[in-house]
Each structure stands twice: as C-alpha cells, then as structure tokens.
C-alpha cells in the first residue's frame, strides 16, 4: 500500500491544497511481468544448450520491453487523469461552497478551504460520517445521488434539515471520482428563505388552503401577502399543469400553475412562465428559472422539437435530452401524432385535458401524465409548456384494478353459467344413468347413451375450468405432502407425455407439507405438463422439481408482491419452443391460445392460475424462446401434520344394494328433483320432495314426521339452503345434511362448517355419487 493511501486510511484529512487519489493496484501486473523476465534471464545462465539459452534470453528481453511499454502507457494515462482532476481541484479550491472530491466508495480524497473550515471537527474521510450530523440517513441519500450521477453525469437534491434548507449536488469526474457540493440555501438573500432567490412566483399552502409562505416574487405580483389560496386564485381547487386565474395587483391574469406535494400535507405552488406572466416586468420570470423547479417541465416548439427541459424532467424520463430531440422521441401512447395535439393546444381547440403517455425507455416502465399549455409571444411562432407528472405507480395500480375487475366479471359470468348449466347437466347425466340401468352392453342404444354421458361430463369439466379461473369453485383443502401427490400422478403423467418425451421428478427430501385441494392440484400439474408436451412436438425433456424456500423479504414481481415467509416451490420445466415476451402477459387469460381450436380450449393455464390463486399461492413463468420454459408455483408451507384420509372399503362404482332411511329432498329445479328422487327410491330410500325451503319447513312442522337426512340445494329462491337447514336443525339436531350446488359463494364454505353432520356434493353428480353420498351419511 502506498504512503498516501495509508495516510487516508488512518483518518488524517487531506488538506485543501492536497489531492490524494487512490493508487491503481494494476501496477502490480507490470512488476510481475518484469520479475518474470528477470527470472527468464537468470535461467538462461544455467541452460545446458546454447539454443535454449538464446531462447530464454530472447523471451526475457521481450518481457522487459513489453513491461516498459505498458508502464509508460499507464504512466501517461495516470498523468492525464491527474492533470484533469488537479484542474478541477484548482477550480473549486477557493469556492465559497463546500466541495469534496471522493471515490466511488465515498472516501474523501480532497476538500476545498470552505469544506475544511465547515467540517473541521469531523476528521473522518468517509462522506457518510461527514454528513451524518447534517441530515438523517446520509448513506441512502449519497447512494441515490451517486447512482443518478453515474447514469446522467450529475444529480442534486434539496434537503430540509433542522438547521435549514441545503442542496447536495454531485458531478461525476475522471478516475471514478465524484465532486460533491453542499450549498446552504437558507443563507441566500441575506438570510431570507431560499425561495426568495427564485425569480418565479412560489408559495407554500397548508392542507386547508392557508398560505404558509410566499416568496418575494409572488408578493410583488400580488402587491402584498395573501392569507388563503382564495385570495390568490379565482378558480379553486388548484390542478397542476392547468391555467388558473391569479388575482394580481393590476388585475386578473392567466398563469400556468404547477403544484408539488410536500410533507405534512403541504403543497408548493409555482406560477410558470407564460404570455400573461411574462408581461409583468416586476416579476422578471424567465424560462431559465425552471431549471431549479422540482416540477418536470418541457418547452416544445410547434413542430414537436424539445426546445428546453429542466433537471426534474430529465430525471423523470431517465434520459439526456440532446439538441434536436423531439417529443415523439421521448413519449408515446397518444394514438395519434403528438404534433397534432400540440397544434390543437396552440389553436385553443379541444378541452385541454391531460393525457397519459409512456416514456420511451429500454429497461424501465415509466408512465407520465402530460398537460400541454400554450405559451410564447405574438412576435414568434409560439410554443407549448408540457407539465409532466410521474404516474407509474398509479398506472400499475390501475392495471391491477383492471385485472381484478376482469376476474370479477368472469367470476360473475362463470357463477351464473355454472348454477344454471350444472343443473341442466345434472338432469341430463342423471337421467342418462337411469336409462343405462335398463340397458346392457349388447343393447343397440347402449353406445349412444354412453356418448351422451361422456359429453355431459366434458361439458361439466369445462364449467369447472371457468369456475377455477374465476376462483369460484368449492375447494376441499387438506394437509398434503406434495411428493406423494406427484408420485400418485406419475403413471397418468407418463401416459400424457408419450414415448417421445422424457419426464423426470426431482424432490427435496425435507419438503414441507402444504394445505391444498389434492384433486385440484393434480389438475394444475396435468395442465402444465400438457402445455409443456404441446410445446415440444419433436420431443424433449420435462422436469418437475420441488423444494423449500424462504423469502427473507417480500418478492416484487409481475405487479405482484409475495409476502416474506416459508414456501414450497413446484417447478415444471420443458425444453420446448418457449413463449415470446409479448405473449407472456396473456397466457393466463381464459380462452387465449396459440393452438388450433381442435387442440385446446385456452383454459388450461387459466385454470391452473385460478386454482393456485384460490389456494393462496402464486404462479410465475420464465421463458427463453427456443431454449426452455419454466412455470414456478409458490405455495405457503404448513406446520400441521399430514392428514391421512382413509378411503372407504367400497369401490367408487359400487353402490349399496338396499338403502333405508327417510330423505327430505329440497330442490327448486324440477328435472334435478325428479332424477334425484327416482335414483334414491331405486336404492330403497324413502323420499319426501319439496320445491323450496318454505315448503320444507312447513312439512317439518308435523311432529310425527321422521326425517333422517336433509338433501338440499344451496341457492334457491327465498331462503337458501344453509338458512332453512339451521332453522330445521333447531328442532331436529341429529338430522344429517347434504348440500348440493353447481356454484356456491365463498361464504358458503364457512357456513357449511358451522352446520354439524353436513357434507357437500357438487353438481353435476351421477346416480352412483348421489346414492353413495346419502348411504355414507346415514351409515
């Protein structure tokens, strides 16, 4: 380490005439080359053969020459940088503003005389420590400004402290060095407030409109100081970027107004240069004054060329606005030429409403609200002043709201379709089951009945997918081990992928349990695997992975925030064609597909999305076109023990030969009621029918009537299923209950849990499922 570097690290401050720059460790490489050449020369003296000795001498000479050339080049470059930096140091040496030259790590290499005097009691060479007594959290402020300076060349920020108002500015210079300037704005104008030095009229107003402060330019314009905004403006409330009528000493004038929110609900209001405001010789407002304003502003010609811009506009758009730059080079999204909008503004056409545009940027998404206002004098062609407002966060919230509205609309549609359509499907498939009981496989009508039954089941599955996407289906969550679920599905998945694809599973041996609907999770996995299979028509690999992960802090991705915590991650990778970036935001939308109409409905991924969301998880996609696609699912892990649900001994297809018990069937749909009553009577049950809840309650008023089970629809005209069942159970607490529905609101799941001895049977149900559920409840 050099003596100068050691001098800084031991905390001895470099004086105002000293410049201590960090030494480049790369000089070590030059020394290494020279040493290597010297070693080669020594080796040549001990070489046994003359040819080897000459070779080593030549190699030594070449290395020595190379080291010399590199050393000269480095010395030349270092001297050039040193001269440039020394010139800058000489320039600020006697500046009245404290200036500090620091490296990229914040270590001070130079202070001018003013800085040496101001920070005499702080011998540290770290910027963070030097500024620690001036304002809170200096590390964050320094990092933010230095990052902006790296991108734009310079940056600055006004900071309100307990001792006054300061401005911290930074400029990037050579050698990865930064020149920091600390300007005390509270000292301007002989102790007057900083805004008094501003040539543009400016005031500060409180939340109720009380004028808290008014600078000298505003006081001269009004001929005194106003107590409230109503004494300044004719038309309230103030809308930033709009023209308002100002009550000046000489009468009303129209002025373009910009408003900047401040802390504590306060607002800073500025009058911007314009036709009427510029006429006031006392104000002396000039366009150059906007450079200091905290309001992003652009001055644009009639042809769309950007004539001027202030610092805030360049920071907001995150670009350097060079000469000849046009508004269309910076902003897009109007839907028509921006010059048309500028011309209409100058001609006074249109309503003058602000427009939401998007900044043209390679890596960032920046949304701005733009208000155009005519300006310029009569002796020139005129120009417009564009007032910009950052609405990126607002647009992101708006897009999330639109997505939620879309989900709600589809949910309402799916709910209505499911309720009515599933009733029809229950009647169709149920009566088909009754017909199948009277036909054997040798019957000519048997195959037709089977086709009717299978297509009814396909229609039911389609409705189920709509409900899944809209998160309106009735889940039956349980604590499960995802590894067991995947293992049980392996045989089916292998049949889905076929022989041309390779399916592999990779599990975390310590995988945590999760709480989810096992059947629906299998549906998600199947949909993702089918999607991966279709993306690899020529064969490939599908890999399913599981692992535990811990998010130490919230994950912000795809306009979604995943809370910190412990999660189980399920990934499905494929080596297929990939998904283009412009289509990734559409893949979870229902009915959107790139496949032929005969190859898919466009509901596979949307169904997976809905199921995962309703489970409380998150699903993301990463894809590289032509390389691979990965779907990642995050589901919160669960600490409860895994639930082992014992399957009944009877087969699913088996039914009790003889049934006993009295069933009160309450169903408002006549076809469904007819099928259910016939099916139960065929199995030996006694069935009492009612077409509404009120009729059922009237029947139960007979104390001699014995009922073993209530079989009721959930959604009916009048009283719904849970409501009338609670009333009935008050007098018959031991009666078992079965709720049936093709669609139930989210609140039904909570209602059902509060009703003892109750189960849920979703529509459409088959004859076997109905009689099996009734038998299990009674026995």
């Amino acid at each position: 380490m050099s003596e100068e570097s050691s001098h800084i690290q031991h905390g001895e401050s470099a004086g105002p005439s000293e410049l201590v720059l960090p030494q480049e460790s790369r000089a070590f490489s030059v020394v290494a080359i020279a040493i290597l050449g010297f070693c080669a020369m020594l080796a040549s003296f001990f070489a046994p053969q003359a040819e080897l000795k000459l070779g080593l001498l030549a190699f030594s000479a070449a290395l020595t020459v190379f080291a010399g050339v590199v050393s000269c080049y480095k010395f030349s470059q270092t001297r050039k940088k040193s001269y440039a930096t020394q010139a800058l140091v000489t320039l600020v040496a006697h500046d009245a503003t404290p200036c500090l030259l620091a490296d990229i790590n914040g270590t001070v290499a130079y202070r001018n005389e003013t800085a040496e005097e101001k920070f005499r009691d702080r011998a540290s060479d770290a910027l963070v420590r030097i500024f620690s007594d001036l304002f809170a959290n200096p590390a964050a402020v320094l990092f933010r400004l230095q990052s902006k300076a790296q991108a734009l060349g310079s940056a600055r920020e006004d900071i309100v402290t307990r001792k006054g108002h300061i401005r911290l500015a930074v400029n990037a210079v050579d050698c990865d060095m930064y020149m920091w300037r600390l300007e005390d704005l509270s000292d301007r104008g002989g102790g007057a407030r900083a805004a008094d030095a501003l040539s543009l009229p400016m005031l500060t107003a409180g939340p109720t409109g009380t004028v808290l402060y008014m600078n000298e330019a505003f006081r001269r314009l009004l001929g005194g100081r106003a107590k409230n905004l109503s004494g300044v403006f004719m038309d309230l409330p103030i809308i930033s970027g709009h023209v308002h009528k100002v009550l000046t000493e000489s009468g009303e004038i129209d002025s373009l107004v910009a408003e900047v929110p401040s802390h504590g609900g306060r607002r800073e209001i500025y009058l911007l240069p314009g036709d009427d405001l510029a006429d006031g010789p006392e104000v002396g407002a000039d366009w150059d004054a906007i450079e200091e304003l905290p309001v992003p502003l652009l001055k644009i010609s009639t042809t769309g060329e950007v004539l001027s811009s202030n610092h805030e506009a360049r920071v907001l758009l995150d670009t350097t606005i060079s000469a000849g730059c046009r508004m269309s080079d910076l902003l897009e999204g109007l839907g028509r030429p921006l010059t048309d909008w500028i011309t209409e503004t100058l001609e006074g056409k249109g309503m003058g409403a602000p427009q939401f545009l998007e900044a043209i940027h390679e890596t960032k998404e920046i949304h701005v609200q733009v208000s155009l206002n005519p300006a310029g004098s009569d002796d020139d062609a005129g120009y417009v002043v564009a007032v910009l407002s950052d609405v990126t966060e607002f647009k992101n919230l708006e897009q999330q709201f639109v997505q939620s509205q879309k989900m709600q609309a589809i949910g309402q549609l799916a709910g209505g379709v499911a309720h009515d359509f599933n009733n029809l499907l229950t009647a169709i498939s149920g009566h088909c089951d009754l017909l199948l009981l009277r036909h054997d496989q040798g019957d000519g009508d048997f195959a037709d009945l089977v086709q009717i039954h299978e297509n009814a089941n396909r229609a039911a599955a389609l409705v189920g997918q709509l409900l899944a996407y809209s998160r309106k289906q009735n889940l039956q969550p349980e604590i499960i081990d995802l590894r067991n679920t995947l293992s049980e599905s392996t045989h089916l998945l292998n049949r889905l992928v076929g022989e041309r694809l390779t399916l592999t599973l990779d599990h975390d041996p310590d995988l945590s349990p999760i709480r989810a609907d096992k059947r629906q999770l299998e549906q998600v996995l199947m949909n993702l695997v089918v999607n991966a299979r279709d993306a690899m028509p020529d064969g490939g690999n599908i890999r399913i992975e599981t692992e535990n992960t811990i998010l130490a802090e919230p994950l912000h991705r795809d306009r979604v925030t995943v809370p910190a915590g412990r999660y189980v991650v399920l990934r499905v990778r494929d080596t297929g064609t990939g998904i283009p970036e412009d289509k990734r935001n559409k893949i979870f939308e229902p009915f959107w597909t790139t496949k032929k109409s005969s190859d898919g409905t466009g509901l596979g991924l949307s169904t997976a999305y809905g199921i995962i969301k309703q489970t409380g998880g998150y699903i993301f996609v990463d894809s590289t076109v032509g390389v691979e696609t990965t779907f990642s699912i995050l589901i919160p892990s669960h600490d409860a023990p895994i639930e082992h649900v014992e399957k009944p001994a009877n087969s699913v297809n088996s039914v009790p030969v003889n049934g006993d018990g009295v069933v009160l069937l309450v169903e408002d749909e006549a076809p469904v009621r007819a099928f259910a009553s016939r099916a139960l009577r065929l199995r030996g049950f006694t069935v009492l029918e009612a077409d509404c809840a009120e009729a059922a309650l009237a029947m139960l008023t007979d104390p001699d009537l014995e009922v073993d089970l209530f079989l009721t629809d959930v959604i009916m005209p009048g009283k719904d299923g849970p409501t009338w069942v609670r009333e009935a159970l008050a007098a018959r607490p031991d009666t078992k209950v079965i709720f049936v529905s093709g669609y139930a609101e989210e609140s039904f799941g909570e209602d059902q849990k509060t009703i003892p001895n109750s189960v849920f049977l979703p529509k459409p149900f088959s004859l076997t499922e109905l009689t099996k559920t009734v038998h299990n409840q009674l026995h």
Side-chain angles (χ1 to χ4, degrees), residues 636-676:
S637 60
H638 213 277
D639 295 329
I642 297 174
E643 300 175 1
H644 297 282
V645 180
E646 295 184 3
K647 296 182 180 180
N650 293 332
S651 172
V652 175
N653 294 323
S654 64
V655 294
V657 177
N658 294 311
D660 55 358
V662 180
V663 178
L664 175 57
L665 172 62
V666 185
E667 170 63 63
D668 61 312
E669 289 287 336
V672 177
R673 191 171 65 251
F675 152 65

Side-chain angles (χ1 to χ4, degrees), residues 374-571:
S377 57
D378 296 334
D379 57 352
D380 58 26
Y383 58 88
V384 294
V385 176
V387 182
L388 313 182
S389 300
D390 187 1
V391 293
T392 303
E393 184 175 356
F394 169 76
K395 292 297 288 185
N396 288 338
L397 290 174
E398 182 186 47
Q399 290 174 357
Q400 292 180 28
F401 176 74
V402 170
Q403 178 67 14
S404 67
Q405 289 291 95
K406 183 192 300 183
M407 294 284 291
Q408 183 179 1
I410 293 175
Q412 291 175 346
L413 173 64
V417 169
H419 181 262
D420 296 331
F421 201 56
N422 279 335
N423 278 329
L424 296 174
L425 291 174
T426 302
I428 293 171
S429 61
H431 285 92
C432 186
D433 285 340
L434 293 174
L435 287 172
L436 285 171
L437 291 177
R438 300 200 298 268
H439 294 75
D440 54 29
Q441 294 188 5
D443 196 314
D445 296 330
F446 186 85
D448 295 333
L449 292 173
V450 170
Q451 281 293 320
I452 295 173
H453 195 274
E454 289 181 353
N455 282 281
N457 289 338
R458 288 183 58 190
L462 189 62
V463 176
Q465 288 180 327
L466 274 176
L467 287 174
Y469 172 75
S470 57
R471 309 177 214 172
K472 298 295 184 181
Q473 62 180 345
N474 296 291
L475 296 183
Q476 298 176 3
E478 56 184 300
I479 307 301
I480 61 174
D481 187 335
L482 193 55
R483 293 170 296 183
N484 295 339
T485 303
L486 294 176
S487 298
E488 294 171 5
S489 305
T490 302
H491 180 67
L492 174 61
L493 295 178
N494 279 319
R495 290 177 55 191
L496 285 174
V497 300
E499 297 179 354
R500 304 183 65 182
L501 301 176
T502 302
L503 177 66
T504 58
L505 277 69
D506 184 9
H507 294 308
D508 186 333
D510 299 321
L511 196 66
S512 300
I514 60 174
R515 187 172 187 270
D517 187 316
K518 181 178 179 181
R519 180 175 55 88
Q520 296 296 334
L521 205 56
E522 290 173 347
Q523 179 70 47
V524 170
L525 186 62
M526 185 176 68
N527 289 358
L528 293 179
V529 169
V530 168
N531 187 73
R533 178 200 66 188
D534 295 341
M536 297 181 289
D538 299 325
N541 299 314
I542 300 176
R543 185 177 181 86
I544 301 175
E545 304 171 357
T546 60
E547 67 175 7
N548 294 322
T549 188
I550 299 177
L551 296 181
E553 55 186 23
L555 171 65
H556 303 281
R557 177 177 175 183
D558 298 344
R559 300 192 181 94
V560 174
T561 300
V562 182
R566 297 185 297 115
Y567 293 86
V568 171
V569 182
L570 169 64
R571 295 189 184 92

Side-chain angles (χ1 to χ4, degrees), residues 584-602:
R584 282 179 216 160
N585 61 342
K586 300 179 181 179
I587 60 175
F588 294 119
E589 294 183 4
F591 303 113
W592 189 91
T593 180
T594 57
K595 305 174 186 176
K596 298 178 182 178
S597 58
S598 59
D599 293 339
T601 61

Side-chain angles (χ1 to χ4, degrees), residues 650-708:
N650 293 332
S651 172
V652 175
N653 294 323
S654 64
V655 294
V657 177
N658 294 311
D660 55 358
V662 180
V663 178
L664 175 57
L665 172 62
V666 185
E667 170 63 63
D668 61 312
E669 289 287 336
V672 177
R673 191 171 65 251
F675 152 65
S677 62
R678 285 184 59 189
L680 293 174
R681 289 190 180 106
L682 280 173
R683 298 307 175 192
F685 297 100
T686 302
V687 181
L688 304 175
E689 298 183 39
D691 60 357
C692 63
E694 290 76 11
L697 291 173
M699 295 172 62
L700 293 174
T701 57
D702 182 0
D704 296 329
L705 180 64
E706 293 185 3
V707 177
D708 300 308

Side-chain angles (χ1 to χ4, degrees), residues 17 50 66 70 146 170 173 195 238 285 329 345 351 381 486 489 497 539 631 647 670 690 726 744:
S17 60
F66 179 75
V70 172
Q146 185 169 297
V170 58
V173 296
I238 297 298
D329 298 330
T345 301
M351 300 298 294
L486 294 176
S489 305
V497 300
F631 284 89
K647 296 182 180 180
R726 283 197 187 89

Side-chain angles (χ1 to χ4, degrees), residues 23-63:
Q23 300 297 311
E24 294 185 341
S25 61
R26 288 174 295 177
F28 175 79
S29 59
V30 178
V31 177
I33 294 174
I35 293 175
L36 183 60
F38 180 74
C39 292
M41 183 180 67
L42 288 177
S44 66
F45 294 124
F46 301 98
Q49 300 177 356
E51 292 84 0
L52 180 59
K53 180 179 295 187
L54 288 175
L56 288 172
L57 285 173
F59 178 71
S60 172
L63 287 178

Side-chain angles (χ1 to χ4, degrees), residues 210 315 331 388 430 548 589 607 704 709 736 777:
T210 303
V315 171
L331 301 167
L388 313 182
N548 294 322
E589 294 183 4
T607 300
D704 296 329
L709 183 141
K736 305 296 181 63
Q777 271 293 85

